[in-house]
Amino acid sequence: MDYGWLLFLLIALLIDHPLVSALFVTDISVPEIVDFRDNVTLSCSYDMRGHTLNSVKWYKDHEEFFRYSPLASPIYMTFGVPGLQVLDGKYLCNESSCRLDLSLQGARSTGLYKCEVSGDAPHFKLADKADNMTVAALPQSDPLIESFNSMYRMEEFLSATCSSDYSSLPTRLTWYINGEQPLLGELQPTIDTSIPAHDYVLRRQRLQVHFYLQGQRFYQSGKILELKCVAEIENYPELRRETSLSASLSQFDNLNNQMLIHAGTNSGGAQRSSTTSLISGCLMTLFLALALCHRRPS
């Protein structure tokens, strides 16, 4: 066997190996969750590793909707796919990255988005990355606190309601009273309202809290009451919204009440004393009259 010839082939393969190394999609940027009213930007970056770029293709759920082919004409092509539309002129691709803007079409835009990069002849290497995007009707405003005043007095009863904005994803409301969550008995059952709109079922939560302004959480608060309502969507901490309102607390006026009671007691005592003096005077007059009658000669 001619081992020299085999050695020659092995060396040739080793020398050629760097030229056929794999290319890589190094990064893909697909929003995890977006509102259906927004436009979104998708992008991916790639390392050709010496290969000539043949094309960059974007797919939604395995259907191609965009292609960049620098060696072909036209360079850019778009394809109709339900649930999205590539914005005219809002794309830019080159030898290392590709970015494009999409207009969404509601819940149908939810899906798996993939960026696929291919090298040119003779090897035609492929690489891709994909990520999911959820398109929902997200809250557009912070929760609303109703029936809350700017001033309260200690021992007073307070009742307030928090309402979330409408959303197609379930929202959880949480109250905080001076930084602490309410006791179980201080919360009313949550009221859930739903309406159909924009191909979604939109839901709004309402949660009422009521309590007496008494206890250590108020006496040690520096005469300030802060109510905070937090609206959260599970698994998406970036969608957290909150509203805080503050009120002044005045102490319950025990001193004035005691003074009024004391004054009332004194007034009653003076009245009783005056009545006693009048009766005593009348008795004395009667006694003198009887004495005079007894001394009159018969």
Side-chain angles (χ1 to χ4, degrees), residues 26-168:
T26 56
D27 183 58
I28 185 171
S29 177
V30 175
E32 181 181 10
I33 185 168
V34 294
D35 186 79
F36 76 98
R37 289 157 282 211
D38 296 338
N39 295 333
V40 299
T41 299
L42 309 182
S43 66
C44 68
S45 302
Y46 32 88
D47 185 348
M48 298 304 299
R49 296 291 179 93
H51 295 274
T52 299
L53 178 63
N54 178 274
S55 67
V56 179
K57 299 179 181 179
W58 280 93
Y59 298 84
K60 174 187 177 291
D61 297 331
H62 310 295
E63 290 188 73
E64 183 183 1
F65 63 87
F66 178 85
R67 181 185 301 176
Y68 168 63
S69 303
L71 304 179
S73 181
I75 295 177
Y76 294 106
M77 295 182 66
T78 60
F79 308 92
V81 170
L84 60 88
Q85 179 181 354
V86 179
L87 296 177
D88 290 340
K90 297 293 185 178
Y91 37 78
L92 179 63
C93 303
N94 53 40
E95 292 295 318
S96 60
S97 65
C98 187
R99 177 186 61 79
L100 61 152
D101 291 350
L102 302 181
S103 173
L104 304 176
Q105 298 175 0
R108 293 183 302 168
S109 302
T110 295
L112 180 69
Y113 289 78
K114 181 176 72 174
C115 173
E116 180 188 85
V117 180
S118 65
D120 199 28
H123 305 294
F124 296 105
K125 291 290 184 179
L126 286 176
D128 63 69
K129 275 186 181 294
D131 213 342
N132 285 293
M133 180 170 68
T134 299
V135 180
L138 302 180
Q140 300 297 293
S141 61
D142 294 335
L144 176 66
I145 296 178
E146 301 173 280
S147 304
F148 186 76
N149 301 323
S150 60
M151 182 175 293
Y152 290 92
R153 299 179 69 177
M154 294 298 294
E155 310 297 334
E156 192 172 347
F157 184 76
L158 184 153
S159 178
T161 302
C162 178
S163 302
S164 70
D165 193 12
Y166 281 101
S167 170
S168 63

